Structures are given as structure tokens and as C-alpha cells.
Amino acid sequence: MTVSAPESSAALVKPTAARSYRIWIYLAVLVIALSTTRIFTGADDITSSGTLRAAVIAAIPIALAGLGGLWSERAGVVNIGLEGMMILGTLGAGYFTYHYGVWVGLLGAAVFGAVGGALHALATVTFGVDHIVSGVAINIIALGVASFLAEALFTGLPGGGPTQSPSLDRPPTISVPGLSGWTESLEDKGWFLVSDLAALLNVVVSQLSLFTLVALVLIFGTGWLLWRTPFGLRLRSCGESPSAAETLGVNVYRYKFVAVTMSGALAGMGGAFLALVASSGYQNGQTGGRGYIGLAAMIFGNWRPTGLLTGSLIFGYTDAARLRSGGESVHALLLVLSVALLAIAVWQLIRGARLAAVLAAVVGGLGLTWYLRTDTIPGDFTQMTPYVMTLLVLALASQQLRMPAADGQRYRRGEAG
Amino acid sequence: MKTLQRAGLALAAPVLALVVAGIITSLVLVAAGDDPAAFWETMLAWPENRSLVNIINEASVLYLSGLAAAIGFRMNLFNIGVEGQYRVATFVAAYFAAQAFLPGYLNTVATILVAMLAGAAWAGIAALLRVTRGVSEVISTIMLNAIAVSLVAYLLRKVGSREGQTIVTDTVPQSGWIPGISLFPDSVTDMYGLVFLAVLAGIGFSVLLNRTRFGFDLRATGHSESAAVASGVDVKRMVIYSMLLSGAVAGLIGMPNLFGVSHNYGSTIQTGIGFAGIAVALLGRNHPLGIAAGALIFAYLSEQANPLGILAGISPEIIAVTQGVVVLCVVIAYEVVRRYRNKLEQRAVAEALEAPGPSKEVTA
């Protein structure tokens, strides 16, 4: 890696602003495309407030896991153990919520996740173990600990069993009184664009879980903390060039340790969201690989909070679409995706990237053929949608991404050249 | 003396790790209110003959899985997708074998080749994404695992038939079955006839890595990519080849069971072997003999844990904790030993340089 000294934080501000501005354009295009598709195919559920709300609920755990990944990787430690820390979080949320209520449950999930994070930090930072290796080991341990302790903690409780906790309280939700009913009636009209936007607004003003708010505060708070404070600059310098940070007097070990532990806490909170908001209690195998998808969302988001939130929403949306009238919705999305891929193919051809153009055209063409020859998509295929999306998105976006320069590299104090 | 010290250090790491893992497991048991003494009594009892056969069978399968993961690990390529490759390959192989295009054992041999091809093809997707689009193989193989599960479930529903609770493919013609080897007359289970496949794969792995140009390039890339590039290694090609090879070996995982016991692919196929293989490879330090030891340890732990619930009232899930902790402890211990060894070597060099006299040669 010959990336020169880390760009200063001032230099990084501009692209951030430009990027978030672009995100709004993308979002507008997306809403128009989905609305058009809804009118054209009659797949009403692709922009219903039900689907969108489910999308947010599916996206937040992914985003929190991704945010955990962001903390860790910005400090230079690859954290594939997010999945395991998330599993620990679901267990913590289940146990503490049952006994002490949802807020202690959230805290307990964070603490359980943080224990996993601290273990990862101990292995990678203190002992210099390969980051992927340690992450894989932590995932194995977490899975075992959770299923073992779940049996010990939940068996015999009313409604609980060896693989699941009793049914738990939901975190409180808030609704804005007037707006919520108004947007609902507007949505029911089925007008082009207006109803879709109303549905979007409805998600924000109606039955919004307080946990979602907490998550958003954490995401934007992280953006502020890591990019606008001395602490954040030091933390990121550990991920860009630890030896340079060391020469400036930064205690690299401590920063990495804090970042990775925090990473675990955030992933744990993602687990709490899964157990308490997305379902009504702890279950074995509840995370279903969302920690990994969070990692993918973070990569897609170019190691930035707003980017990873966007990525999570895309994954959350595909996940929600498959759950709500899946065959029909995903079938309609297939059309959107195919057309988008063909558009990308044309664009890449203009740019002169022939290989990417051909790749996009082939996949897009196949998708379009599939769309035209079928009326619905079998359940097994809707199930793989989020994963296929992840692969596609990474395949198309990975060229423009820049990870922290020293990400995943072993660092020993005093070995700076 | 020197070699003795080296061997001692190499063995110290895994032994230390096992001891620490044992202590941590006991602590977890105490924390959960279980009796560690009963746990150890069950775990350390000499396995029955039936269990011994199971351990050997399980270990041979884990060994193949570990080899598949290790091929990638040796060049810092993390093929987390052994699980998906194994499933896709086993399904394709079962389907192919049931068609009986060839007679008798020719069919068996062809099927094994088909399984390797299918596993390689599935791994190849990740390799292509890595070299053409720069997608990290860690993420892509994980996604491909999930996709494989759904894809195979879909295809199974298309071509399989219902048999009680499960859906299965057509049965492999009996002329191609590999009968089990009976180790003990009183055991109801036999050793897989295809255990030798694991042995062959291990020998092949060892020869390939230590005796061929490809193996040298692979190890060189793993040690230092920039040095490998400087000496003319085409890293992109190495990524593709080693990923394909890893997938091909992953394709073998399901073969002993397919030809020895199940004779078809069903929805009850054993899951998690791919992930366990990663752990086994780490435990064995990606060395063919080490992986064998790791596979035996993992198989032993799993098999001995089965009666825990009945005999000691402890959930067998505890063994997953032990296995995970062993892996983490082993990698940490290897790291500690490596540092200690470096320190010893540095000291030896320093002493040799300080020592007066004509002989300044250093054999470190």
C-alpha cells in the first residue's frame, strides 16, 4: 500500500458534502422509478407504508452492525466477528429485557456485544492475531455461548424454551397525531408519486420506534464524533497510518481497543433491535447473517455513516419486499433492477469500461428475460434477494471505494520504520 | 537440542490452548450452574466402539473441509464459502450420480470429478469478483453461502421427490456405492469406504504445496505479496487457481457420505461442516498433519458431547463454546510462541555477533 499520509480531515469534508447531495438525487430517482414500476406492474406493495416501515425495521440492525464495522475498521481492525457480537446482543437483549425492561435490555445487549468486541480487540490488538481469523473464532464462540446460555436462562420461563426467550415487551413507539392519519389516507389514493411520498412520510410520523431514533442518533453522532472531533481524528489516524499516529503521541493500542469494543457494543445494539423491534423476543439463529450484511453495507457506503445507512436501507428494503407479498414485489423489483443494470451498461460503455458494460448488460438482459417470462418469483429466490443484491452492489461499486489505508494490517508498537 | 526446542515450542501452543479452553469451558459451566466434574467425566471417558467409528468418519469429512479452507489461507485468501461450495457440489454430484450415465465405479469416479468441478465453479464466482471487481472474497463467499442454501433448496424441490418429512434426489445406482469398512464387529456403524479420499487429498495437498512451483508461488504470495509480485508471480492468476482448487476440495466433502451412507442428497444434509473446517484449518495451522489433528479433536469433542444431556444433564451446545475457544486460544498461542521464538533468535544472533573469534557465521 503506497497511500501517502492520511488526508487531513478538512480535505475530507468536501467530498462528504458532495456525496450527501448526490444521495438525494439518487433517492429521488429511486422513488420515481419505484412509483412508475408500481403503476406499471400493479405491485402495490413495493411502496406501501407497510413495506417501507418493514424496510426501516430490517435496515436498522444492519446499519448498527455496519456502524460497528465502521468504528472498528476506521481504527484499522477488520471486524468479521460482528455477526457473533450481534448474536451476543440478541441474547443480552432477551435476558435483560425480560427481567428489567427494554432500556436495560438495550444496555445489556450493548454490554454483551462489547464483551465480544473486547475479546476481538484482545486477540487482534494485544496479541496481533490475524483479524479475519479472530473474527471467525469469535463467531463460533458467540454462537455456542448464545445457544448454551439461552438453554440455561430461558428454559422453564413462561413462554420460553431452550431456543427462545419468553415474549418480550416492545420498545415504545411515537406517532404525530394529525400527520399520521392524513398521510395514510393520501397513500390509499394510489396516485403516482404523491402516494408513494405520503407512504414514505407516514413511516416517519407514525409508529416510529424509539429504538430507531436511538439508532439514527448513534449513526449521525458517530459521523460527528469521528470526523469533527480530535478524538475522531486520532481514531481514524490509527486506521490510516498507525505508525504516523504513534509518532504524534497517539496511544494507538488504546484507540484501537476502544474502537473495537465500541464496535461490539453497536453490533450488540443491532442485536437488541432484532430481538425487540423486528421480533418479539430472543430466538436461536435470529441474526441470520445480518452482521455480515452490515459489513457489506459499510463497504458499500465507503466506510462512512451516511453511506452505510443508505446501503442498509437498500438491503432492508429488499428484505422487506420479499416478506410482504414477496413473489409479486420481488418480481417487480427485478424489472427495476434489470432496467437499472441496462442503464449502467450504457453508461459504462460511454465511459469506455467495456468489461463492466458487458457484465452489467448480460446480467440485466438475463434479469429482463426472466421478468418477462414469469409472473412471480419462487420463495427460494426471494429469500436470496438481499444476498444477491449485496454481491451485485459490491461488484458494481467496489471500484470507487477507498478503505482506510492500514485496514486489516497488523500493527506492533515501536516497529515504525 | 535445537530441533527439540523447536518441536517443544510448536507443541506448546496447541496444548496450552486446549488447557485454557478447558478452564474457560469449566468456568462457563459453573456460571450456568452446571457441574463441571460430570462434564469432564463424560468427555474424557473412553469412547465406545460405535463412537470411535463416528469420530473417524466425522474427522475425515472435517479434514477435507479443513484442507479446502487451508489452501486459501496459505496465501491469505479467506475462503469462508466452503459451506456453500460443499452444498452446491454435493447436490450436483448426487443428481449426476443418480442419472447413471456411466456403469458401476466409473460413475463414482465421474461423480467425484463432477463434484469437484461444481465446487470449483461456485468458488470461482468469488474469485472472479475478486480479481475483476475487487470485491473482498470474505464478503462474497459469505453471501454465496446464503445464496447456495436457497438455490439448492429450490433445485431440490424441482428435481427431488418427497420422502416423509424431507425431499431427496433419486438414489445413486447401487453398483456405484462404496461399502463401509467394518472396524468392530459390535458396532452398528461402519467406517466410510471413502475415508481414503481424505488421506489422498491430504497427501496431494502436501505434495502440491511443498513440491511444486504452484505451491511455492502460493506460499510466497501468502508470506509477502509484494515480494511474490517482484519475483514474477501473477497474483490474480494465483487467486483464481487457489480459489478454484479450494472449491474443488470443498466439493469432495460430501462424497464419503453420498456413496457410503445416504446415497442421495436430502434436505437433512449435515450443515456447518464448512465453518467447522475453517476452525479445523486454523487449529492445524494450515499444515496437512496439523489439520488432521484438528479434525480429530473437533470430531472427538462433538461425538463425546452427544450423551452430555442424558448422562450429565448439560446441554451439548457447550461443546461449541469449547471448540470456538480452542480456536481462538490456539491462534493467540501461536502468536505468542512466534514472538517468543523471534526473541530467542534475536538473542542468539546478538550473542553470536558479540562472541569473539573468527567464526561469525550465524545459524539462526
Side-chain angles (χ1 to χ4, degrees):
Chain A
M1 295 279 161
T2 51
V3 178
S4 51
E7 304 155 60
S8 72
S9 64
L12 285 174
V13 170
K14 262 188 198 152
T16 317
R19 205 183 154 80
S20 61
Y21 166 68
R22 274 220 310 267
I23 279 172
W24 291 106
I25 296 182
Y26 290 154
L27 202 66
V29 170
L30 190 70
V31 172
I32 293 171
L34 286 178
S35 183
T36 316
T37 314
R38 175 176 64 86
I39 303 280
F40 179 68
T41 62
D44 284 336
D45 246 335
I46 62 172
T47 59
S48 72
S49 58
T51 303
L52 295 177
R53 186 168 295 116
V56 170
I57 289 175
I60 294 294
I62 296 172
L64 284 173
L67 194 66
L70 180 85
W71 271 79
S72 168
E73 301 215 357
R74 275 293 171 187
V77 178
V78 173
N79 190 353
I80 196 183
L82 286 170
E83 175 75 10
M85 298 167 201
M86 213 170 180
I87 294 174
L88 291 176
T90 55
L91 181 77
Y95 177 72
F96 287 102
T97 303
Y98 179 75
H99 291 285
Y100 308 102
V102 285
W103 294 105
V104 180
L106 182 66
L107 197 70
V111 170
F112 271 40
V115 170
L119 195 63
H120 190 51
L122 183 77
T124 57
V125 179
T126 312
F127 289 109
V129 169
D130 185 279
H131 301 177
I132 306 273
V133 168
S134 163
V136 167
I138 283 175
N139 287 340
I140 300 173
I141 297 177
L143 191 64
V145 166
S147 24
F148 176 71
L149 285 185
E151 192 166 338
L153 294 175
F154 300 132
T155 312
L157 296 181
T163 61
Q164 61 177 33
S165 73
S167 187
L168 299 171
D169 293 340
R170 294 274 172 113
T173 59
I174 45 169
S175 298
V176 181
L179 276 177
S180 116
W182 179 67
T183 47
E184 218 162 282
S185 64
L186 205 56
E187 185 198 338
D188 289 339
K189 299 272 198 292
W191 292 335
F192 174 67
L193 211 51
V194 179
S195 295
D196 306 305
L197 288 173
L200 202 58
L201 189 61
N202 182 265
V203 173
V204 183
V205 297
S206 177
Q207 300 168 49
L208 186 69
S209 172
L210 282 181
F211 272 23
T212 307
L213 280 182
V214 170
L216 290 175
V217 167
L218 285 171
I219 292 168
F220 290 105
T222 296
W224 175 78
L225 192 67
L226 291 193
W227 273 271
R228 293 284 185 278
T229 65
F231 168 80
L233 181 63
R234 286 179 197 137
L235 192 145
R236 285 185 298 121
S237 71
C238 297
E240 299 287 352
S241 174
S243 44
E246 183 187 321
T247 58
L248 292 173
V250 174
N251 187 338
V252 177
Y253 284 176
R254 187 187 297 159
Y255 273 87
K256 282 185 186 248
F257 217 101
V258 167
V260 179
T261 309
M262 185 68 189
S263 169
L266 287 166
M269 284 194 227
F273 198 96
L274 268 183
L276 301 177
V277 183
S279 53
S280 58
Y282 167 87
Q283 277 176 338
N284 273 5
Q286 197 163 28
T287 56
R290 282 185 182 76
Y292 301 124
I293 297 189
L295 208 58
M298 178 207 65
I299 295 172
F300 165 75
N302 203 11
W303 287 266
R304 286 176 181 287
T306 45
L308 78 84
L309 184 60
T310 317
S312 312
L313 284 170
I314 294 178
F315 300 135
Y317 180 74
T318 42
D319 203 22
R322 81 175 170 88
L323 286 175
R324 296 180 61 93
S325 39
E328 188 193 34
S329 294
V330 177
H331 190 242
L333 287 180
L334 183 64
L335 177 66
V336 181
L337 191 70
S338 311
V339 173
L341 276 169
L342 291 177
I344 287 173
V346 172
W347 180 59
Q348 295 279 18
L349 200 65
I350 294 170
R351 279 180 64 225
R354 223 174 284 155
L355 182 69
V358 170
L359 209 73
V362 168
V363 179
L366 283 177
L368 197 62
T369 326
W370 189 10
Y371 172 80
L372 292 173
R373 298 191 49 157
T374 52
D375 292 326
T376 179
I377 289 191
D380 292 312
F381 282 94
T382 61
Q383 238 167 46
M384 59 172 100
T385 319
Y387 308 104
V388 175
M389 275 295 283
T390 310
L391 276 187
L392 272 180
V393 161
L394 286 182
L396 292 172
S398 62
Q399 305 278 295
Q400 292 150 33
L401 304 177
R402 185 197 155 275
M403 68 173 187
D407 199 10
Q409 290 174 17
R410 209 172 289 210
Y411 162 77
R412 302 294 312 144
R413 180 184 285 155
E415 282 185 359
Chain B
M1 178 63 204
K2 202 88 183 177
T3 40
L4 205 66
Q5 196 182 21
R6 276 181 167 268
L9 277 177
L11 276 180
V15 170
L16 196 72
L18 279 173
V19 171
V20 172
I23 293 171
I24 292 180
T25 308
S26 304
L27 288 178
V28 172
L29 284 171
V30 171
D34 285 320
D35 179 15
F39 170 79
W40 288 113
E41 203 173 307
T42 314
M43 289 306 294
L44 295 178
W46 180 253
E48 293 170 33
N49 288 346
R50 178 172 50 87
S51 299
L52 278 176
V53 174
N54 285 343
I55 290 172
I56 293 173
N57 284 345
E58 179 76 10
S60 69
V61 169
L62 279 174
Y63 184 62
L64 286 168
S65 177
L67 282 183
I71 292 170
F73 286 175
R74 283 304 274 267
M75 66 168 282
N76 283 337
L77 193 70
F78 290 96
N79 180 9
I80 313 284
V82 174
E83 180 79 20
Q85 290 142 22
Y86 144 72
R87 285 205 189 195
V88 169
T90 311
F91 171 76
V92 171
Y95 181 71
F96 175 86
Q99 306 304 309
F101 292 121
L102 296 165
Y105 287 116
L106 275 181
N107 193 30
T108 312
V109 174
T111 303
I112 291 175
L113 289 177
V114 164
M116 293 175 80
L117 281 178
W122 197 249
I125 301 174
L128 274 183
L129 282 171
R130 162 85 190 261
V131 296
T132 62
R133 308 300 302 166
V135 180
S136 154
E137 78 282 1
V138 175
I139 301 286
S140 63
T141 50
I142 288 170
M143 297 298 137
L144 283 168
N145 280 344
I147 295 171
V149 172
S150 304
L151 186 67
V152 170
Y154 170 76
L155 292 175
L156 186 60
R157 206 161 299 145
K158 281 257 154 179
V159 304
S161 52
R162 192 159 278 286
E163 192 176 272
Q165 291 288 323
T166 64
I167 307 175
V168 294
T169 58
D170 296 339
T171 305
V172 176
Q174 196 163 1
S175 60
W177 293 5
I178 309 273
I181 299 162
S182 180
L183 288 186
F184 305 103
D186 65 332
S187 166
V188 285
T189 49
D190 287 345
M191 189 172 81
Y192 288 144
L194 280 178
V195 156
F196 75 88
L197 199 63
V199 179
L200 272 184
I203 295 170
F205 177 88
S206 179
V207 169
L208 183 76
L209 239 61
N210 299 316
R211 293 277 182 274
T212 66
R213 159 94 194 264
F214 174 81
F216 179 79
D217 286 354
L218 188 113
R219 284 180 293 132
T221 316
H223 278 297
S224 166
E225 193 173 316
S226 50
V229 170
S231 63
V233 174
D234 182 348
V235 172
K236 277 191 176 178
R237 216 180 54 197
M238 291 301 296
V239 166
I240 293 188
Y241 283 173
S242 53
M243 203 70 183
L244 290 179
L245 205 59
S246 179
V249 177
L252 293 177
I253 299 172
M255 295 303 104
N257 188 45
L258 177 65
F259 287 107
V261 178
S262 70
H263 310 301
N264 60 26
Y265 181 102
S267 39
T268 51
I269 183 178
Q270 188 183 3
T271 59
I273 301 177
F275 291 111
I278 295 171
V280 164
L282 294 174
L283 205 59
R285 236 185 157 188
N286 305 323
H287 186 280
L289 288 178
I291 301 171
L296 279 171
I297 291 174
F298 257 53
Y300 175 85
L301 289 174
S302 300
E303 181 64 28
Q304 291 288 85
N306 277 335
L308 267 181
I310 307 159
L311 294 183
I314 298 170
S315 160
E317 306 276 1
I318 185 68
I319 217 64
V321 180
T322 317
Q323 290 175 335
V325 173
V326 166
V327 171
L328 192 64
C329 289
V330 152
V331 288
I332 290 178
Y334 280 140
E335 194 56 35
V336 171
V337 167
R338 190 184 67 85
R339 276 185 206 170
Y340 179 66
R341 202 179 270 161
N342 279 355
K343 204 182 272 177
L344 282 187
E345 279 181 8
Q346 277 168 5
R347 196 180 300 157
V349 171
E351 276 170 8
L353 287 178
E354 271 173 23
S359 84
K360 283 212 168 177
E361 275 163 305
V362 177
T363 50

